[in-house]
Structure formats: C-alpha cells, structure tokens
Amino acid sequence: METNNLCQNLFIQSSKQTKEELTRLLVQALKSLGYTKSATTLQEESNTKLEENLIHNFRENLMQGKWTEVVELLPNLGLSTESGSKIEYLIMEQKYLELVESRNVQGALDCLREELTPLSEDSDRLHKLASFLLCRNAKELFETASWEGAQEGSRIKLILSVQNFMPPKLMISENRLETLLSQAISYQTSFCKYHNTEARDFSFLNDHQCPKKLIPAVPIQVLDHDDEVWMVTFSMNGLSMASVTKSCSILIWTVNPEDNSISQKILIDSAHSKEMTSIGWSYCSKFLVSTSYDRSVKLWSAESGDCLATFTNHSEEVRSAIFTPDNCRIISASADRYVIVMDLEGRELHRWKAPRVGKLSISEDGSRMVGSCLDKNCLLLFQLDELNNYPDPQIIEVDDIIVSSTISRDGRYLVGNVSESKPELYIWDLETKKCVRRLFGHSRKTFAIRCTFGGINDQFIACGSEDCNAYIWNRNDCHYLERLVGHGGAVNDVAWSPINPYLLLTASDDHTIRVWSCPEHDSDGSDHSDTEMNDGHSED
C-alpha cells in the first residue's frame, strides 16, 4: 500500500533530526507505559535524550516548588521575551496560590505586588487574585480559584500550561505519540464510508475500515397504515415516534430500545380538517405540534393523544412548526409570509416578516434555526442564542428552491432537497454559508421528499425517493452507499433514531412504514443491500 511505502521511506531515508524526534517520542511513550528500563536503554543505545539536562532540572524544580531556581533557569532556555514572561507569570501565580493556601499572607502580598504585578497588565485578574486572600480556609480557596491546591496535580497542570510557550524541541508535549496515533485514527475514520460506531477498540496494526453491516439496511418490521404515510419522526428521547397519513391521522408509536420493535400506542383520527404539512416533537418528548393547510397549529399530548390547544395566529396555511429547547415556545412558519414565536397559550412573543418558508429546522441546543424558502432561492438563518432576543435572520443565497431541509444536531450543516429537474441533495456549511457537497442517486419530480441526518455524529444522510426506494449517503461522498428496496410506492419521509445509529424508518405511499436495522454483527460483514432486502426479511 502507499501508506506502507511512505512509512518505510520515513524510517529508512529519514534525516538525523527525524530519527532523533522519533526516538524521543518512543522514549516518552515507553516511560508513560511504565517501561522505564526500556526507555533508559533506548536513550543509551541511540545516544538521544528525551530532554536536555536543563529542561530536566527545570521540570524537577517546578514539581518540587523551588520557584527561585525555576525562574533562574528561564534565561538559559533561549525563549523569546514574550514567552519567558508568560511562563514566569504562570509560575508566580502558582507560587502565590500556594502561599495563600498556607496562610502566608505577607509572603502572598509580596508575591502579588513585586512578582505578579510587573508581569501582568490584566488588572481584573490581579484583583481576582487579591480577593483570594479573603478566603477563610483552603477549601474555600480551592472552590473560588478553581484550583487543586499545592499538590502534584496542580503542578502537573502548571507544566502543561508552561509547555504551550515552550518550543517542542525543548519540551515535548505530554503523550505526544498517543496524540499522533489518535489523529491518525481520526483521519482514517473520516474517510471510512461506513463508520457508524462509537467503539474505540481500533487496531494500530492495520488501516481502519468499518464493514457495510453497520448501516441500517435490513428490514425488520413493517408498520401498516390505512392511507399513504407522508411523515414520520422520532421523539427526542428516541423511545417514541409519530407518523402522519394523507387522511390527517396521527399515529403515536412506542419504540422498544432492547430489540428495536415498534408498537402502536395512540391513533388520532382527523387531527386536522385539511392536509397536514408537518409534525414535530417537544424536547421533553411529551408533546407534539402539528400544522396544516387549515391554517392552524395544534398542540398534542403524546401520552394521551388529546389536543391541548389550537392556535390560529396565521392567516394562510401553516407549513411548519417546531418547539424550542425550553419546551415553552413554538415557532411556526406560514404562507402568509410570517414566522411567529408563541408560548403554549398561543400568546405571540415575536414575528418576523419573511418569504414563504416551507420548513423550519432547529439545532439540538436551540441556538440556530433555519427556514427554507419556497418562493425565493434562499435560506433564512436565525440565531436564537438568547431566550428573549430575536434578531432578524441572515439570508443565504442558494442556487434553487429548497423543497425540504433538515439541520444537523450540532447546527453546523443543513441538507436540503432542491426543486431542479435533476434531483440532488445539497449540503450547506452554515458557518461559511457555502454549499459543500451535492448528493445524487434518488428520484424526485413532484413530491416534497424529505431527508435527514443520522448515524454517529450525523455522519450519514438518508432520503426518500419517488422510485419506491430510500437512499443512504456518507455525507462526505456524493454517491449513495445503500439503496433500501422494498416499498411499493414513493418514499416520502425518513427518520433516523437519535439514540440508536442502527435504526432507520422509511414512510411510503404504499401505506406502510418500514423499519430498518443492521444485521447481527457477524464476522464476515455480509452485504445485505439492494436485492437481498425484500419483504421476506420483514416481520409484520
């Protein structure tokens, strides 16, 4: 492999400097693993020291609290004036805190006035340090200063802080080889198309590659409905889900986390008088909010199925509604060109004048909300950092009308289905306001096909399709990984469990929801995609 050749060249043709650095890293790693004798032998055989005597003495004196000796060594380290001053300040602050802890008030005052003050221009920090003298005992000092006391732990933290201003040639940062190996693993997993696990038992003996079996591509259950299923969504806690049919029924289901089986809990017939446009869960997973062409927003109890309130703040059909993380507010968007914030009594708290928004999506922490516009080529980015602060949205120009969209849980990315003749999914980076990827493979001509993020760290994207299939992509790859076959009608919506990366739902015009999971984690990594996924594998 190319990687192996690179490593061979690195070791065989490496410069003297590279060999010395590798040896120092190995010595440090051996010591951290407890192989002190081996580390000593390697240093002797290679004639390479982990640290020069000067740095060794600096570290030893610091750990023993010999502050004068430590400061006297600083000019001999060849540091810049700025770095030397910052290191000296850190050392003197540790000294001051230890004097306060030992109740040496006069010594602490002298340190503050004569040693710390000349090194710092941060008067607020100096005043804060002076206030520690008022602490009545060591425990109060530890809590007030967020400090561990004059012990080995706090001095080790001091060394870690000092290392930030030391050239690595003088003092290698702690666990450097472990850090490099961790970075290598992260790099490899970022390019692993099927990486969908939190397991950390990676092997350093071979390159990382997850098997295909970690993708939920095997049907395990079919949930029957009495009409076309237009929407499906999991509750925030992943223990319930709700579906919506063409005939305006809302079905609430219970999800068994042990075996991923799903059973119907509540049926709400004729939830609205006209076609429904959205369904969403509260963050506490106790309530649902629905919207419809009948111009209403309705609040439902997920426990009983009772309608708790009907809100008529809009004058045209309502296209979308979501809860905020405090579970106390609902934000709705309508064809009347308003986005409204209301409390659970229907009292209006704020309204934005906006283009016709077809879908609202909100990040898991509620700090960022995105609206996809139906009559303009743009996204509306709302920053909701403060509870009662509602700044005007930023406008992000896009290439086409966005039919449906979903924000990632961390609020960084948005995926949307566009309305152009060539069906594609666009992924936008909401930090840079740029489209970073276009995904293709599915079919969409007429319907508002929905898509979602899912899997570990929202690494995957799933989307329905008018060709009766659903598709799964790794969000870093424009070609789909899996085509989920089995439905007899257009797949309108998809939902990925927020707590189980191996559980996916697809909702279809064939009056069913299909439940997809992973095969048993067999050792051969069998391919269960496409033609192998059929009704013969499902359980009614």
Side-chain angles (χ1 to χ4, degrees):
M1 289 179 61
E2 183 179 345
T3 305
N4 293 335
N5 294 333
L6 178 63
C7 292
Q8 290 174 2
N9 291 335
L10 179 64
F11 283 98
I12 296 174
Q13 303 176 12
S14 58
S15 66
K16 180 180 178 181
Q17 177 184 334
T18 302
K19 287 181 178 179
E20 179 182 319
E21 290 176 355
L22 287 170
T23 303
R24 292 176 67 194
L25 291 177
L26 289 171
V27 171
Q28 185 192 53
L30 287 170
K31 284 189 172 183
S32 68
L33 291 170
Y35 304 134
T36 308
K37 291 182 180 179
S38 298
T40 302
T41 300
L42 178 56
Q43 290 182 91
E44 293 173 351
E45 185 177 347
S46 64
N47 197 28
T48 302
K49 294 181 179 180
L50 174 61
E51 294 177 343
E52 295 298 329
N53 290 337
L54 192 62
I55 292 295
H56 176 77
N57 293 337
F58 177 87
R59 185 191 294 270
E60 290 298 312
N61 286 328
L62 193 150
M63 288 301 296
Q64 295 171 24
K66 296 180 179 179
W67 312 120
T68 302
E69 289 85 343
V70 172
V71 173
E72 288 176 349
L73 288 172
L74 278 175
N76 301 320
L77 299 180
L79 302 172
S80 67
T81 302
E82 182 182 4
S83 295
S85 296
K86 288 181 177 178
I87 290 174
E88 185 176 355
Y89 174 83
L90 292 171
I91 293 168
M92 289 300 103
E93 186 171 291
Q94 177 78 12
K95 174 184 176 180
Y96 170 78
L97 291 171
E98 292 191 14
L99 288 169
V100 174
E101 180 189 3
S102 64
R103 306 309 298 165
N104 185 345
V105 177
Q106 187 57 52
L109 282 171
D110 291 342
C111 178
L112 182 63
R113 292 168 180 165
E114 299 171 13
E115 296 171 317
L116 276 169
T117 300
L119 293 169
S120 176
E121 296 179 357
D122 188 348
S123 58
D124 290 339
R125 179 58 182 170
L126 293 173
H127 290 153
K128 183 70 173 177
L129 291 171
S131 70
F132 297 156
L133 288 166
L134 302 177
C135 293
R136 291 165 294 185
N137 50 53
K139 182 180 179 181
E140 185 177 340
L141 172 66
F142 301 159
E143 293 176 353
T144 306
S146 300
W147 183 63
E148 298 180 37
Q151 53 166 302
E152 183 176 316
S154 70
R155 292 178 181 176
I156 290 175
K157 288 184 177 180
L158 173 59
I159 289 177
L160 295 176
S161 298
V162 165
Q163 283 178 340
N164 293 326
F165 304 101
M166 285 275 195
K169 185 173 179 62
L170 285 177
M171 184 181 285
I172 302 174
S173 59
E174 295 297 309
N175 304 314
R176 180 58 183 162
L177 184 58
E178 181 180 322
T179 300
L180 290 173
L181 291 172
S182 177
Q183 291 172 350
I185 289 173
S186 297
Y187 178 80
Q188 290 190 22
T189 56
S190 69
F191 287 94
C192 175
K193 292 182 179 181
Y194 298 98
H195 190 73
N196 194 27
T197 176
E198 291 181 327
R200 303 299 300 173
D201 54 344
F202 299 113
S203 173
F204 296 124
L205 304 181
N206 57 275
D207 289 342
H208 171 77
Q209 182 63 53
C210 285
K212 223 176 181 183
K213 63 186 179 184
L214 295 179
I215 303 299
V218 175
I220 61 171
Q221 191 176 2
V222 176
L223 309 177
D224 291 318
H225 294 64
D226 62 2
D227 207 338
E228 297 175 2
V229 189
W230 284 5
M231 285 164 267
V232 62
T233 180
F234 277 103
S235 61
M236 295 294 186
N237 64 12
L239 300 179
S240 300
M241 71 89 161
S243 56
V244 171
T245 67
K246 179 182 178 181
S247 55
C248 297
S249 293
I250 298 175
L251 290 83
I252 303 174
W253 309 75
T254 299
V255 182
N256 185 337
E258 298 297 326
D259 60 5
N260 295 332
S261 62
I262 298 176
S263 56
Q264 184 177 323
K265 177 181 175 183
I266 295 170
L267 170 63
I268 305 171
D269 281 321
S270 303
H272 284 267
S273 59
K274 291 184 179 179
E275 293 176 356
M276 294 178 62
T277 52
S278 76
I279 186 80
W281 286 88
S282 63
Y283 279 68
C284 64
S285 300
K286 295 180 179 179
F287 306 102
L288 286 161
V289 61
S290 62
T291 60
S292 166
Y293 275 89
D294 65 11
R295 305 182 182 183
S296 71
V297 176
K298 290 192 176 186
L299 176 65
W300 305 88
S301 167
E303 298 297 321
S304 64
D306 294 334
C307 182
L308 304 178
T310 300
F311 310 125
T312 56
N313 302 59
H314 290 286
S315 59
E316 298 293 340
E317 73 264 19
V318 189
R319 304 305 298 261
S320 184
I322 56 174
F323 282 92
T324 55
D326 58 9
N327 300 298
C328 296
R329 293 171 294 167
I330 292 171
I331 304 177
S332 58
S334 167
D336 63 10
R337 302 180 186 275
Y338 283 104
V339 177
I340 294 177
V341 184
M342 67 185 84
D343 64 18
L344 300 192
E345 301 294 326
R347 289 186 290 266
E348 190 171 309
L349 305 176
H350 185 77
R351 67 164 55 201
W352 291 280
K353 182 69 175 177
R356 291 175 60 233
V357 173
K359 176 71 185 300
L360 293 173
S361 299
I362 192 167
S363 60
E364 196 169 68
D365 65 0
S367 64
R368 179 174 282 172
M369 180 178 73
V370 178
S372 53
C373 300
L374 292 177
D375 55 1
K376 287 188 177 181
N377 294 5
C378 69
L379 296 166
L380 302 180
L381 178 58
F382 300 81
Q383 301 291 351
L384 304 176
D385 297 325
E386 299 181 23
L387 186 63
N388 296 311
N389 184 29
Y390 304 106
D392 289 336
Q394 302 175 46
I395 297 177
I396 302 176
E397 301 291 339
V398 296
D399 294 339
D400 206 329
I401 298 296
I402 303 162
V403 178
S404 64
S405 61
T406 302
I407 197 170
S408 59
R409 280 176 288 183
D410 62 7
R412 176 68 186 267
Y413 297 97
L414 185 87
V415 60
N417 233 323
V418 297
S419 66
E420 62 185 5
S421 57
K422 181 182 178 182
E424 290 183 328
L425 295 176
Y426 286 18
I427 303 176
W428 290 272
D429 184 332
L430 297 178
E431 295 290 336
T432 64
K433 317 294 191 300
K434 302 292 185 181
C435 176
V436 295
R437 189 85 67 243
R438 295 188 180 192
L439 314 178
F440 52 85
H442 66 301
S443 171
R444 198 204 71 77
K445 294 181 180 179
T446 306
F447 305 135
I449 302 296
R450 296 174 178 85
C451 50
T452 187
F453 288 95
I456 295 295
N457 299 321
D458 279 348
Q459 187 63 31
F460 300 95
I461 289 169
C463 185
S465 178
E466 291 184 20
D467 63 3
C468 306
N469 303 313
Y471 293 81
I472 297 175
W473 294 260
N474 184 302
R475 73 184 192 190
N476 294 319
D477 191 352
C478 59
H479 299 281
Y480 68 84
L481 298 177
E482 294 284 349
R483 180 167 62 97
L484 308 185
V485 178
H487 280 293
V491 178
N492 300 306
D493 200 359
V494 290
W496 210 308
S497 169
I499 64 170
N500 184 349
Y502 313 120
L503 186 60
L504 178 70
L505 307 177
T506 54
S508 171
D509 280 352
D510 66 4
H511 298 200
T512 70
I513 288 175
R514 293 176 77 86
V515 184
W516 307 82
S517 189
C518 298
E520 291 297 320
H521 289 187
D522 49 326
S523 57
D524 63 359
S526 302
D527 181 357
H528 295 276
S529 60
D530 287 359
T531 56
E532 291 189 351
M533 296 182 293
N534 53 55
D535 289 334
H537 289 274
S538 64
E539 297 174 4
D540 289 311

